Amino acid sequence: MNTTSSQGSVKKTYRRQFGWIEKTIAGIAAAIEQAVFTEEHSRQPGLLQALDPRAKLAMFLVVVLAASLSNSLVALPCLYLVLLLLARLSKVPFDFFIRRVWIGIPFFAGIVILPSVFVTSGPRLFDIALGALHFGPSSASLLSGTIFIARVGVSVSLAVLLILTTPWSDILKSLRAFHVPQIFVLLLSMTYRYIFLFLHSANGMFEARKSRTVGRSSGQEQRGWVSGSMSHLMNRSFKMSNDVYAAMAARGFQGEVRSYNAYRMTAQDWLALVLACLLAVLIFCIGRYVL
């Protein structure tokens, strides 16, 4: 009886001690798998995947601008339905596309817009009193809050659809076509490339910690190990950045990133760009004259 109870207490201690490590490892693995899964979508034979990345980036900018200027609860849902149709024609999983956008947007956008919804000066739908303070939502504030969340949802959906249907390297090269500074594109490229390496290193460190730990360590020891691991990863990143730049300079790098991929706008790309511009004008006009 004592042996059984002691074994049960050891298992509980083990789970309590390594639960946060296992969750961290699972989060790191999920981040890597999600990034790889995204690259797989960009290589599917879909509608948006067949377009020139420069055309897709221009379409994205035009439609995002129209959505951000729209104040209509008719135009924004219609635009979102168009995005859902494009996601279906581009062979993007429906549930994956919707979850990736709408799981976090109501929470974060709601936090931003919540004060302006309840702190109003006009007639309120209901009144909340906290001592001498009185506040509550009005019909106008609820409408503006709903429009704000719809704008954020549509804009994020456009960004997610662009990323899911376009390889990251093509997006970076398309930014150069819009005269984005070279140093900015270079930083994005290096960050995207080496973040996977450091995620893999962090994953290995957690696995090594778990496999070599016997018994129960205190909270102070665990916090010390976490801070030491963060310091080690930071020092390693600084050293690797210097080594990578030295290797690039030794091979003739002079600040210009060159790519072997050559893009050419076709009639299909121009047609898609014109349709996106017409859609943006339509959304803007509906947003100006229709509630």
Side-chain angles (χ1 to χ4, degrees):
M1 184 67 179
N2 294 332
T3 304
T4 304
S5 61
S6 62
Q7 288 178 352
S9 62
V10 170
K11 290 181 180 179
K12 290 180 180 179
T13 302
Y14 180 84
R15 287 195 296 267
R16 187 166 56 246
Q17 179 178 351
F18 292 108
W20 63 277
I21 299 180
E22 293 173 349
K23 291 179 181 179
T24 305
I25 294 174
I28 292 173
I32 297 175
E33 291 176 359
Q34 188 177 24
V36 174
F37 191 52
T38 300
E39 289 289 335
E40 289 182 358
H41 290 316
S42 63
R43 291 174 174 82
Q44 294 293 327
L47 176 64
L48 292 178
Q49 288 89 336
L51 298 177
D52 190 285
R54 295 170 296 179
K56 283 188 284 186
L57 185 59
M59 293 163 59
F60 164 77
L61 295 175
V62 169
V63 179
V64 163
L65 179 61
S68 63
L69 296 176
S70 177
N71 294 318
S72 174
L73 284 180
V74 176
L76 293 173
C78 291
L79 178 57
Y80 186 70
L81 291 177
V82 174
L83 296 181
L84 292 179
L85 178 61
L86 289 176
R88 174 64 70 180
L89 295 178
S90 301
K91 299 185 178 181
V92 175
F94 222 56
D95 54 345
F96 174 76
F97 177 67
I98 294 177
R99 284 200 316 268
R100 189 159 184 173
V101 175
W102 290 106
I103 286 181
I105 282 181
F107 177 73
F108 292 104
I111 290 178
V112 174
I113 200 65
L114 196 60
S116 64
V117 171
F118 283 89
V119 181
T120 57
S121 58
R124 303 184 181 96
L125 298 177
F126 57 89
D127 191 78
I128 301 175
L130 291 177
L133 297 177
H134 293 268
F135 55 91
S138 63
S139 57
S141 64
L142 287 176
L143 178 61
S144 62
T146 304
I147 291 176
F148 175 79
I149 294 177
R151 283 178 180 172
V152 174
V154 170
S155 300
V156 174
S157 299
L158 283 165
V160 169
L161 192 59
L162 175 66
I163 294 174
L164 290 179
T165 58
T166 312
W168 183 247
S169 57
D170 293 343
I171 294 178
L172 294 179
K173 186 175 181 180
S174 301
L175 291 175
R176 289 296 296 150
F178 289 89
H179 301 286
V180 175
Q182 178 64 32
I183 185 63
F184 181 74
V185 177
L186 179 61
L187 288 175
L188 285 178
S189 176
M190 299 295 288
T191 301
Y192 180 81
R193 180 171 302 178
Y194 285 97
I195 194 172
F196 295 104
L197 176 62
F198 288 112
L199 281 175
H200 180 72
S201 298
N203 193 5
M205 292 171 62
F206 281 114
E207 289 285 358
R209 163 77 174 182
K210 182 178 178 180
S211 62
R212 289 170 173 81
T213 301
V214 179
R216 182 178 180 181
S217 59
S218 63
Q220 182 178 0
E221 291 176 347
Q222 294 180 7
R223 289 189 295 270
W225 180 81
V226 170
S227 60
S229 301
M230 293 172 61
S231 176
H232 173 72
L233 280 177
M234 184 173 295
N235 292 332
R236 187 174 179 181
S237 65
F238 283 133
K239 182 178 183 303
M240 181 170 290
S241 64
N242 293 329
D243 294 341
V244 169
Y245 180 76
M248 293 168 62
R251 288 164 176 80
F253 177 74
Q254 298 180 350
E256 180 69 24
V257 178
R258 303 184 184 275
S259 175
Y260 292 103
N261 296 328
Y263 302 111
R264 183 178 180 183
M265 294 284 288
T266 62
Q268 180 183 2
D269 301 322
W270 288 111
L271 177 61
L273 183 57
V274 170
L275 291 177
C277 293
L278 293 177
L279 176 63
V281 172
L282 179 62
I283 294 299
F284 177 76
C285 293
I286 294 177
R288 288 292 300 273
Y289 302 107
V290 180
L291 182 62

